Amino acid sequence: MSAGFVWLVGAGPGDPGLLTVRAVECLRQADLVLYDRLVAPPLLSHAPASARRVCVDELAPAHPDRWPLVNRMMIDAANEGQRVVRLKGGDPMIFGRGGEEAEVLRAAGVGYEIVPGVTAALGAASCAGIPLTHRDHASAVCIVTGHESPGKPDSRLDWPALARFPGTLVFYMGIARLEAIVAALLDAGKAADTPACVVQRATTPGQRVASAPLAELPAAVREANIEAPALLFIGEVVALRERIDWFSHRPLFGKTVLVTRPAHQADDMVRRIEVLGGRSICLPAVTLAEPADWAPVDAAIGRLGETGWLVFTSANGVHAFIARLRACGRDLRALGGVRLAVIGPATADALRGYHLEPDVIPAEYNSEGLVAALRERVRGSRVLLARADRGIDLLRDELSSVAEVEQVAVYSQRDATLEDSPEALAALRAGEIDFVTLTSSNIARVIGSALDPEAVRSGRPALVCISPRTSAAAKELGLPVAAEAVEYTTAGVIEAMCRLSAQIAEGVIREV
Ligand code: SAH
């Protein structure tokens, strides 16, 4: 039996992009992940599907029982030869019990490694625009727990020393005791007008900040309804925020976007939206499956030797076709004499993933564009269209007059049951969505049926469509379209959404 091992890993402050490369390496090898509640759920996807995932906050309701239980689980799993990742919010060594857990592991003779993470104070400082140190304003930083009750005789904090501290103070876990902390610092002589702020859910789309001079901070935080997890910053550097903040100036900050693509294709769009400051909610409108019948595809694969052109109108079509080629015992050499055409950049990239370069990418990324690009080129050839089992037949109809065209379904597309995503549907119905992204006519039709036309007419949610054809599908349902992509790609949809967001901010478009 191989020796077990434990990695005590910092998960960073919330944004899944702030995980370290080393943390990903550890997660990829994990048999068991013991994670804190504050850890961002997407991080767990770095672990193999077979790994057990256990949220330690759900292990036992009360603190005193929980920690011995977590220690026991780590040790037992390691003794059984398992590789354990103990994934903690922020950094394991800052209010993360990393030290205690390491001692317990050492005493039990279990090997371990400690992987640092971006602690909440560092994440919040960068994302709220607070330079923790500054040559003119702060030469030191003090990280303090707000968990201790000021004024209690057993408090281990020296409040007069904190009040005198010549630098920036950062309190973790202090929101519930904010008034007492501020009172203790003021009592100990800290200036009432010292710049201060509280940062909630730092680094995430839900980040919110309330700033005020120290003495007025509790009222400002109450008014802004700030909740845990949050950090308290006190010091001259907090005043620089006004000039330095970039996070809340991003184009989609404060916006909630409904992503409606099939689940396996949503990740890339979700990440792009997050990086621009938006929050994404996924409501897949269509699902993909194998075609009802492979026989026509297999027959077409058998005739590739006589086929002049192979045309793909989606990345899904590329993956499905190549997978079937392999399942038929063939490989890429079967495409040696075949020219390749794709509808747009994402489809081209899918082909390039198999080291195949498309011969044709049209200037306009739709069927009309592809017809224009292909009509003369394919004259007199055999053309194979590999696509979904539904969609418009424009390519087949237009090219049939100049070439021998065969259309095969390499995958099947179905309307998804929206009720399978109850949380997303509830968010939509509760009016929490700012922008609904519609990336195909079928998606527009399925999502459109779940939208309240009155709400869409009033601008919330606003519909953002990938192309005129998709917009037409929405308009057919009586739904006005707020923005349309110039380039018919997901990047184009995101650009259109950013433009719309800027127009709303400038008051060009009324936000309801
Ligand atoms: N080990 C963690 C801290 C754990 S203590 C770290 O290094 O960050 C938990 C406290 O961290 C919370 O009460 C809150 O004060 C702070 N915290 C964690 N994540 C935060 C976030 N995204 N935004 C603001 N504060 C956060």
Side-chain angles (χ1 to χ4, degrees), residues 405-437:
V405 181
E406 186 184 4
Q407 178 168 295
V408 291
V410 291
Y411 66 99
S412 153
Q413 196 196 67
R414 297 271 167 273
D415 295 356
T417 309
L418 299 183
E419 283 69 24
D420 288 346
S421 314
E423 286 165 16
L425 208 52
L428 187 61
R429 296 199 166 131
E432 286 172 30
I433 308 289
D434 295 282
F435 301 142
V436 172
T437 56

Side-chain angles (χ1 to χ4, degrees), residues 149-310:
S149 294
K152 277 219 173 148
D154 61 347
S155 171
R156 277 173 283 184
L157 292 174
D158 179 342
W159 293 93
L162 287 174
R164 275 196 314 276
F165 182 73
T168 310
L169 297 177
V170 189
F171 285 85
Y172 285 62
M173 302 173 283
I175 289 312
R177 294 188 182 76
L178 181 64
E179 306 220 357
I181 291 168
V182 169
L185 288 170
L186 294 173
D187 278 355
K190 190 87 185 158
D193 62 354
T194 310
C197 76
V198 165
V199 185
Q200 167 188 309
R201 293 192 190 289
T203 78
T204 74
Q207 175 174 308
R208 288 170 64 226
V209 183
S211 313
L214 183 59
E216 294 158 35
L217 190 67
V221 166
R222 256 197 318 275
E223 190 170 324
N225 232 339
I226 300 265
E227 293 169 356
L231 290 167
L232 164 61
F233 291 87
I234 301 166
E236 296 305 321
V237 287
V238 174
L240 299 176
R241 209 182 105 63
E242 266 177 44
R243 276 185 271 151
I244 293 175
D245 172 39
W246 55 275
F247 197 84
S248 67
H249 297 299
R250 291 174 303 164
L252 297 179
F253 184 73
K255 302 292 183 208
T256 301
V257 180
L258 195 70
V259 174
T260 55
R261 313 194 72 198
H264 73 285
Q265 286 181 313
D267 291 356
D268 173 55
M269 193 163 183
V270 164
R271 189 64 192 147
R272 286 180 198 227
I273 290 166
E274 281 174 1
V275 166
L276 293 167
R279 181 165 79 105
S280 309
I281 295 185
C282 290
L283 180 58
V286 294
T287 58
L288 308 184
E290 294 208 345
D293 185 7
W294 280 115
V297 181
D298 294 351
I301 286 174
R303 286 195 299 273
L304 280 173
E306 308 129 48
T307 302
W309 285 85
L310 175 55

Side-chain angles (χ1 to χ4, degrees), residues 10-20 23-24 38-44 46 88-90 117-120 122-124 126-127 200-207 229 246-247 250 270-278:
D15 175 351
L18 294 175
L19 190 68
T20 65
V24 174
L38 274 184
V39 164
L43 302 191
L44 299 176
H46 292 294
K88 299 156 165 293
V118 176
T119 189
L122 302 189
S126 289
C127 294
Q200 167 188 309
R201 293 192 190 289
T203 78
T204 74
Q207 175 174 308
W246 55 275
F247 197 84
R250 291 174 303 164
V270 164
R271 189 64 192 147
R272 286 180 198 227
I273 290 166
E274 281 174 1
V275 166
L276 293 167

